[in-house]
Amino acid sequence: MKKLNITIQVEMSVPDDWELVQTSEGTPVVKLPNGQFMDVAIEPLFATDPEETWSSTEDEDVLNDILDMVESEAVAYEFVSE
């Protein structure tokens, strides 16, 4: 068995009122002005409390708005032998 490391780098232009905050575990997330928090993994994830359950959005417009902010994206794949 081998491991696959995937590194995703995304550059975005975002509104000035977005902030970076950390969860109690030290994970950085984005605080949105509407009382939600966003974590970008393979897809944007949202929560009303960064310590609770994160979920994707059902609202296509919200997802499209976030994806429209992406200016560039780089994905690197690397197999790592154990």
Side-chain angles (χ1 to χ4, degrees):
M1 181 67 68
K2 58 186 173 183
K3 284 188 180 181
L4 174 62
N5 288 341
I6 302 171
T7 304
I8 301 172
Q9 181 175 339
V10 176
E11 184 176 308
M12 300 172 69
S13 292
V14 301
D16 291 333
D17 54 359
W18 286 23
E19 300 176 48
L20 287 178
V21 297
Q22 290 190 357
T23 66
S24 61
E25 296 175 346
T27 304
V29 295
V30 179
K31 181 178 180 186
L32 305 177
N34 63 357
Q36 285 191 313
F37 296 84
M38 180 179 73
D39 182 19
V40 178
I42 297 209
E43 65 177 292
L45 301 174
F46 299 89
T48 54
D49 181 337
E51 305 300 330
E52 298 296 326
T53 303
W54 291 80
S55 63
S56 60
T57 181
E58 299 292 324
D59 187 336
E60 290 288 322
D61 290 334
V62 169
L63 182 58
N64 287 334
D65 288 346
I66 297 296
L67 294 176
D68 285 344
M69 294 178 196
V70 175
E71 293 181 356
S72 67
E73 179 180 347
V75 179
Y77 298 91
E78 176 185 14
F79 282 112
V80 180
S81 300
E82 291 188 356

